[in-house]
Amino acid sequence: MVNLEPEAMQTGWRGRAAALSWDGRPLIGGTRREGTGAMAIWSPVHGGLLYEAALCSADMVDQAVVDAHRACERGVWSDLSPRARGMILLRLAELIVENHEELALRDTLEMGKPIASALVDIRDLAPTLCRHYAEAADKIYGDVAGSDAASLAFSLREPRGVVAAIAPWNYPLPNAVIKVMPALAVGNCVVLKPSELTPGSALRLGELALEAGVPPGVLNVIPGDGVTTGAALARHPLVDMVTFTGSTQAGRAIMATASQSRIRPVILECGGKSPQIVFADAPASDLVAPRILGEAFANQGQLCVARSRLLVHASRKADLMAALEREVRQYAVGDPLEPATTFGPLAGQRQCERVLGHIAGALRDGARMVAGGPVDRPCGVAPTILDDVSQGMAIVRDEVFGPVLTVQSFESTEEAIGLANGSSYGLAATVWTAHYPTAQTLVRRLKTGHVTVNGTVESYEGPGMSLAGEPRGDSGFGSETGLDSLRSYTAIKGVVLAGGPCRSADR
Ligand code: NAD
């Protein structure tokens, strides 16, 4: 549970929301620019219009990329020492902390997550990520290769240049940080396109970066949609690398678009359908049930690594289902601006209809709803548990990206592995067992980028922030954390200094 600041408790989030001002203009070359299309930003909190943000045209995208390219060419950022860049990004982390209430409120109003969760995202997660990359800035370097006595052979890690970063809406600020910071830490310039649902905190991140000392033009933020703004950005010939987080469908399109004007590297962090596997010897059901639900329903289930498929050993199923039914009633579904709310609305009406469509389809296919379904609030869907599902059903196969947990049972370890791997996605998995060899087997054989044993996402984020994990299958490729993520934003240059004989001929 989050300890809210006394000031926030007293003021009331609704009052603060009403007083908040919005500026949806793009941030290019260190200033807010005028003169582009408009995009309505609706709030799932009350269903009303929050403000109008820019919908950046191809011309505006061009201005942002050209500015970033110019900053690259002038070396205003890449020529700084890695340590100096890291210090500026550490200052940015502190500015995020100083402004966390305002940033959290923006994310809540734009995508509906409970303010208590948004505060944790912005006060803890985003600055932790920011510091992680900032502190790694001077730990990325090349190698010295073995060579003959007359030469020196080594590799340099150079920034790639202009990085186009395209982000989703589910964790607006943390996702922007995950994209932008590793690229900046190693000396790139960035053009960030946040989701059309949630540009608010990303635009503020751009302003805070300037305040921290990031030179103008090094981080540009352009609001807009996917087909106009995102596609123009991914296609732009002066972009040297594209990093994308979002749906597999958009990932496919971006991969194709990014290769249209020239060849360049792409990172894709896409959708998931991750399993959590409970073996017969897992901890007591009352202990694991809240964690299982937490892994499925965090952020209203709008989490790429949501463990949305529960696979439970047949001998444990009845007991665990009873515990899950008890536990799911503990969610406080309601107004996200109330600090006591633990489960808010989905990110918008379209998202809500999409998720309810998945649930209705599952029920038609024969699934049984143990808990959940629609809630009589704007964009409301309660944490939903579906039993009597089978591997071939769409609800088990397709990413819902909402609060839906399906339940299947298994008899043997082989069957569990088969069910877990029976997905086109490969993002993450959780295993609950007291048997070390079983855990080992699963860790080796699950086709996912991350595996957590007897733990939750929180256990991963503590010691694991520096761990990289690369998605498999339709979940994409490239890693988002750890030193590997910074390396992927660099290009290796092999250098040989062929200095000639190093001993005189008369030795
Ligand atoms: P989305 O794919 O609809 O949009 C993501 C971003 O891509 C947005 O900024 C959007 O404007 C842009 N975009 C969409 N189509 C585009 C195109 N053709 N060209 C260029 N840009 C385009 O995804 P979303 O609805 O914002 O987010 C939900 C999805 O994101 C889910 O599938 C979820 O699993 C995934 N996700 C993955 C991760 C991860 O790390 N793997 C993290 C968070 C979310």
Side-chain angles (χ1 to χ4, degrees), residues 205-288:
L205 179 71
E207 290 180 333
L208 294 176
L210 287 168
E211 197 180 326
V214 175
V218 171
L219 173 58
N220 306 277
V221 187
I222 50 167
D225 64 5
V227 285
T228 310
T229 316
L233 180 59
R235 190 183 298 118
H236 200 290
L238 289 179
V239 164
D240 298 293
M241 176 177 182
V242 179
T243 177
F244 165 78
T245 300
S247 61
T248 298
Q249 188 191 5
R252 277 201 183 94
I254 284 170
M255 209 169 158
T257 311
S259 64
Q260 276 173 11
S261 59
R262 55 178 275 215
I263 298 289
R264 52 199 141 189
V266 175
I267 290 179
L268 297 181
E269 298 285 335
C270 300
K273 192 74 184 175
S274 300
Q276 41 187 334
I277 309 161
V278 179
F279 282 88
D281 59 0
S285 294
D286 280 340
L287 208 75
V288 288

Side-chain angles (χ1 to χ4, degrees), residues 166-167 169 193 196 226 230-231 244-247 250 269-271 304 399 401:
I166 301 178
W169 48 261
K193 194 205 82 63
E196 52 271 52
F244 165 78
T245 300
S247 61
E269 298 285 335
C270 300
C304 58
E399 184 185 43
F401 212 59

Side-chain angles (χ1 to χ4, degrees), residues 146-434:
S147 53
D148 60 36
S151 23
L152 180 62
F154 59 95
S155 60
L156 285 175
R157 290 241 171 217
E158 298 181 328
R160 290 191 184 273
V162 177
V163 172
I166 301 178
W169 48 261
N170 62 332
Y171 283 80
L173 191 80
N175 269 327
V177 165
I178 288 178
K179 294 270 142 213
V180 165
M181 295 305 151
L184 289 182
V186 294
N188 297 284
C189 297
V190 176
V191 180
L192 167 66
K193 194 205 82 63
S195 164
E196 52 271 52
L197 300 186
T198 56
S201 59
L203 285 161
R204 287 287 292 128
L205 179 71
E207 290 180 333
L208 294 176
L210 287 168
E211 197 180 326
V214 175
V218 171
L219 173 58
N220 306 277
V221 187
I222 50 167
D225 64 5
V227 285
T228 310
T229 316
L233 180 59
R235 190 183 298 118
H236 200 290
L238 289 179
V239 164
D240 298 293
M241 176 177 182
V242 179
T243 177
F244 165 78
T245 300
S247 61
T248 298
Q249 188 191 5
R252 277 201 183 94
I254 284 170
M255 209 169 158
T257 311
S259 64
Q260 276 173 11
S261 59
R262 55 178 275 215
I263 298 289
R264 52 199 141 189
V266 175
I267 290 179
L268 297 181
E269 298 285 335
C270 300
K273 192 74 184 175
S274 300
Q276 41 187 334
I277 309 161
V278 179
F279 282 88
D281 59 0
S285 294
D286 280 340
L287 208 75
V288 288
R291 293 173 175 84
I292 287 170
L293 296 185
E295 297 294 275
F297 298 143
N299 207 34
Q300 291 63 243
Q302 303 163 135
L303 175 70
C304 58
V305 291
R307 309 309 203 254
S308 53
R309 291 187 292 142
L310 173 60
L311 309 176
V312 52
H313 191 270
S315 66
R316 283 290 297 272
K317 188 174 172 197
D319 181 51
L320 184 60
M321 289 304 284
L324 291 172
E325 282 185 54
R326 279 194 299 278
E327 193 57 36
V328 79
R329 290 190 217 112
Q330 302 303 315
Y331 280 89
V333 181
D335 180 350
L337 289 175
E338 283 301 324
T341 297
T342 58
F343 198 91
L346 302 194
Q349 195 49 40
R350 241 185 47 205
Q351 161 76 349
C352 179
E353 283 161 15
R354 211 181 48 71
V355 170
L356 290 175
H358 277 288
I359 296 173
L363 297 179
R364 276 197 305 277
D365 287 346
R368 183 171 61 83
M369 190 153 70
V370 175
V375 173
D376 191 17
R377 298 188 60 85
C379 312
V381 180
T384 300
I385 303 176
L386 296 175
D387 198 357
D388 298 345
V389 301
S390 58
Q391 195 74 356
M393 284 164 63
I395 196 72
V396 173
R397 224 178 36 235
D398 300 339
E399 184 185 43
V400 173
F401 212 59
V404 179
L405 175 69
T406 59
V407 186
Q408 293 169 269
S409 61
F410 63 86
E411 299 280 354
S412 67
T413 303
E414 280 308 313
E415 192 186 356
I417 293 170
L419 292 172
N421 284 341
S423 166
S424 64
Y425 296 107
L427 219 43
T430 298
V431 179
W432 295 97
T433 178

Side-chain angles (χ1 to χ4, degrees), residues 402-479:
V404 179
L405 175 69
T406 59
V407 186
Q408 293 169 269
S409 61
F410 63 86
E411 299 280 354
S412 67
T413 303
E414 280 308 313
E415 192 186 356
I417 293 170
L419 292 172
N421 284 341
S423 166
S424 64
Y425 296 107
L427 219 43
T430 298
V431 179
W432 295 97
T433 178
H435 191 232
Y436 176 74
T438 304
Q440 271 272 30
T441 303
L442 272 282
V443 164
R444 301 270 179 196
R445 292 192 46 202
L446 289 175
K447 294 178 180 158
T448 59
H450 296 277
V451 181
T452 305
V453 178
N454 297 332
T456 59
V457 170
E458 280 77 37
S459 21
Y460 180 79
E461 281 166 0
M465 199 61 89
S466 53
L467 271 179
E470 191 165 7
R472 312 288 201 265
D474 283 347
S475 292
F477 49 81
S479 51

